[in-house]
Amino acid sequence: MDPEFWHARWTANQIGFHQQTVNAHLQLHWHGLSLRPGSRVLVPLCGKSLDMIWLREQGHRVIGIEISPLAVSAFFSENSLPAQVREDAGYPVWSCDGIEIHCSDFFTLTTGQLGILDGCYDRAALIALPEDLRQRYADHLARLLPPDSRSLLVTMEYPQQEMNGPPFAVAALEVTRLFSTHFALQHLEAFDALAANPELATRGASQLVEHIWRLQRS
């Protein structure tokens, strides 16, 4: 997905993927990862997600990655967080009160820039990527996360021919193929989510299942 696509979406405020409340799957399944307070949690392609506020409230330090400066600015202003901005390797890093967001391309970042991570939360990153970028994403995530780190992944499955992504359909078998080399996977839940996503039904999806996964870096 060309970065200009996302810049255009944010500029036009075409952000139907943004949730107005904290994700229910996050609240239900996160504590099952048993990450200690103070753990550093990566949120790739984070947008202005309120899930980052919730993760911070659980005592974690949140490390977001988002390519759109409009999204990053909106996150801090809409949540009344007085951000400090510093330059790091030619891109801005916004931070306040246990949350920092690297305004950069996920695929270019390294552990040297992000620091040691203890886990990851992905609700909107993998499903935002077309098929040809997903293995690259999984492999790069494995490079960023150390052994024994634990992550929560939320994916969507629907008949892809019914609707153009994003969000894209990512089948359970594909999740296994993408991540099983570097992660131990546990499928936690399959949730019928069409009623909760009427905008996707309007776009043509006749069925929609959200899958929730626990990943542990091997």
Side-chain angles (χ1 to χ4, degrees), residues 7-135:
H7 289 309
R9 290 287 290 266
W10 282 97
T11 298
N13 200 36
Q14 295 177 343
I15 53 171
F17 49 84
H18 174 69
Q19 294 186 339
Q20 300 295 331
T21 59
V22 175
N23 185 267
H25 303 308
L26 172 65
Q27 297 178 78
L28 179 62
H29 293 288
W30 180 258
H31 294 295
L33 301 185
S34 300
L35 291 178
R36 297 186 302 272
S39 295
R40 302 182 79 246
V41 177
L42 179 68
V43 185
L45 283 64
C46 63
K48 59 176 183 176
S49 174
L50 296 175
D51 297 342
M52 293 188 286
I53 299 290
W54 187 89
L55 286 166
R56 184 197 61 179
E57 290 173 347
Q58 310 315 301
H60 300 306
R61 299 189 63 81
V62 177
I63 314 299
I65 302 174
E66 172 54 52
I67 201 167
S68 168
L70 291 178
V72 180
S73 177
F75 172 78
F76 286 96
S77 63
E78 291 175 11
N79 292 290
S80 301
L81 297 173
Q84 296 181 335
V85 184
R86 70 178 192 272
E87 288 291 320
D88 186 341
Y91 67 87
V93 180
W94 299 52
S95 62
C96 179
D97 195 20
I99 299 175
E100 68 177 46
I101 300 181
H102 295 247
C103 190
S104 185
D105 185 338
F106 168 82
F107 293 108
T108 67
L109 296 178
T110 67
T111 54
Q113 294 163 301
L114 299 176
I116 297 174
L117 301 165
D118 301 294
C120 174
Y121 168 62
D122 174 359
R123 180 197 71 81
L126 182 64
I127 62 174
L129 299 174
E131 186 176 4
D132 62 341
L133 286 179
R134 291 175 204 154
Q135 190 64 66

Side-chain angles (χ1 to χ4, degrees), residues 157-165 169 194 200-208:
E157 190 168 7
Y158 63 87
Q160 186 67 82
Q161 69 275 12
E162 293 183 349
M163 186 183 83
N164 293 326
L194 189 62
L200 299 186
T202 300
R203 288 172 57 185
S206 62
Q207 53 186 294
L208 176 67

Side-chain angles (χ1 to χ4, degrees), residues 139-150:
D139 292 344
H140 191 57
L141 188 64
R143 286 191 287 271
L144 297 177
L145 294 172
D148 199 44
S149 57
R150 281 148 281 166

